[in-house]
Amino acid sequence: TYFENGSKQCDVLVYYQSPNNYRVELTNQIANEKQIMIKNNKGVFIILPSINKTIKITSDWPESTNQPYLLHSLAKDIVNGKDIITNNVDGNTTIELNTKLFDNTEPIKEKIVFDYKTKLPKDIYIYRSITKLFNHISIKNIEQNSRLNSELFVVDNTITSSRLDYIDSPIEFDRSITYPTFCPTNTKLYQEIVLGSEVDKKAVMKFNGDYSFTLIQCFIEEFDSLKTEYFEGDIYTMAGNFVLLANNTLKFYTNGVEYTLASSNVSFEELMMIGES
């Protein structure tokens, strides 16, 4: 993922078992912090093993948002894409099309590169504008017709197994209050309140100007017992994190910090850009 002031890389591992079992693992390469999402016949769940937390989500994911790391989503983009352009470059087939991150957002440009020999996608590029790249997915391997163990899609088993990596070697979070490097035009920080200690610090920042939004950051320690949260909305992936979106609010967890962004007049696209920064 490419930001206003840099980029961030993560590993994505996807399992799919017909008809409706999905497992997506995101791993932050720097912190070795993993986040796991499972969809099965009981719903959609996000597992945060580093802090011993799960989130049960009421959502129609993956239908509700663009998920370029899913073959199902790529196929839907191609079928429903607008102004499709096909080229053959260096022996590979490239398809360019217009799609949307969410149903109610402005179109974005997506370029899919298919390997000449395997006929499978190997690179996906997503642009916010004609030339502004903000996401590149490089596909290292696709295994077809694999016999997946159904235990991969059982939430309780995944919680238990994923916690083993952190029980003996918990992550020492290197945390600090951070500030977005991107803000909408003529919008600046005008109020900041910081409470608590280095363990449970909480910062509330209010930005005002042509647009207004609130950013809340809460330090979170690893919970002694499993903590479960319930959420209704959409799910998006951003720089190695699952992002929860609902009612002009987005929330995500990374490096032991819970981030919440909310606004009544900033679009989802710009809220995402603020969060990315």
Side-chain angles (χ1 to χ4, degrees):
T1 301
Y2 298 88
F3 315 117
E4 293 291 315
N5 63 332
S7 63
K8 184 176 181 181
Q9 183 174 335
C10 76
D11 293 326
V12 183
L13 179 60
V14 179
Y15 301 91
Y16 170 70
Q17 185 182 63
S18 180
N20 200 30
N21 284 342
Y22 291 86
R23 178 185 174 117
V24 181
E25 300 180 3
L26 305 179
T27 303
N28 181 328
Q29 294 181 334
I30 297 176
N32 196 29
E33 185 177 6
K34 180 178 289 188
Q35 299 187 2
I36 304 167
M37 178 166 57
I38 289 177
K39 179 176 182 178
N40 55 29
N41 59 4
K42 295 182 180 180
V44 182
F45 305 82
I46 290 177
I47 300 163
L48 306 171
S50 65
I51 58 174
N52 201 20
K53 179 172 183 172
T54 66
I55 306 170
K56 187 178 188 304
I57 303 166
T58 302
S59 172
D60 59 354
W61 183 95
E63 303 300 331
S64 55
T65 55
N66 177 281
Q67 313 290 342
Y69 52 85
L70 298 180
L71 296 181
H72 165 82
S73 184
L74 288 179
K76 185 178 71 172
D77 286 347
I78 293 172
V79 170
N80 299 324
K82 304 295 184 182
D83 304 319
I84 294 179
I85 300 174
T86 303
N87 292 304
N88 290 312
V89 180
D90 297 329
N92 300 312
T93 299
T94 298
I95 295 178
E96 296 183 16
L97 53 86
N98 293 326
T99 184
K100 292 185 176 183
L101 287 180
F102 310 97
D103 290 339
N104 61 342
T105 58
E106 293 297 318
I108 58 172
K109 177 184 172 183
E110 183 173 71
K111 182 166 71 174
I112 309 167
V113 181
F114 290 86
D115 184 85
Y116 174 77
K117 293 182 179 180
T118 65
K119 310 302 182 185
L120 295 172
K122 67 175 187 177
D123 286 288
I124 300 104
Y125 301 89
I126 299 176
Y127 301 82
R128 279 204 170 94
S129 60
I130 298 299
T131 59
K132 191 171 184 179
L133 178 68
F134 81 93
N135 206 351
H136 171 213
I137 298 172
S138 177
I139 299 175
K140 301 301 183 184
N141 185 41
I142 298 177
E143 289 187 19
Q144 298 174 290
N145 303 316
S146 296
R147 293 186 177 182
L148 298 177
N149 190 329
S150 59
E151 296 295 312
L152 284 168
F153 309 98
V154 178
V155 173
D156 289 345
N157 293 353
T158 300
I159 292 171
T160 301
S161 60
S162 62
R163 280 288 296 156
L164 295 177
D165 294 334
Y166 298 96
I167 291 175
D168 294 333
S169 302
I171 291 179
E172 295 287 338
F173 294 119
D174 182 15
R175 300 175 295 189
S176 61
I177 300 300
T178 55
Y179 300 84
T181 57
F182 168 83
C183 283
T185 303
N186 297 325
T187 301
K188 296 181 179 180
L189 176 67
Y190 84 96
Q191 185 182 62
E192 177 182 9
I193 301 173
V194 180
L195 304 170
S197 66
E198 292 302 318
V199 174
D200 60 355
K201 185 174 289 186
K202 178 178 181 178
V204 180
M205 303 176 186
K206 293 184 180 295
F207 294 75
N208 210 346
D210 288 356
Y211 300 88
S212 60
F213 66 91
T214 299
L215 169 61
I216 302 173
Q217 303 176 49
C218 298
F219 288 10
I220 298 175
E221 291 296 298
E222 179 181 355
F223 297 106
D224 293 332
S225 57
L226 181 67
K227 183 177 178 62
T228 301
E229 178 183 344
Y230 297 89
F231 185 87
E232 181 173 355
D234 286 325
I235 309 163
Y236 187 69
T237 56
M238 178 187 75
N241 306 288
F242 291 112
V243 183
L244 309 176
L245 307 104
N247 301 321
N248 278 46
T249 299
L250 65 84
K251 180 160 68 172
F252 60 95
Y253 298 82
T254 185
N255 194 34
V257 181
E258 175 190 272
Y259 293 87
T260 304
L261 272 163
S263 174
S264 61
N265 64 356
V266 176
S267 67
F268 262 152
E269 294 100 320
E270 289 202 302
L271 278 181
M272 296 292 288
M273 292 171 69
I274 295 167
E276 288 168 353
S277 75

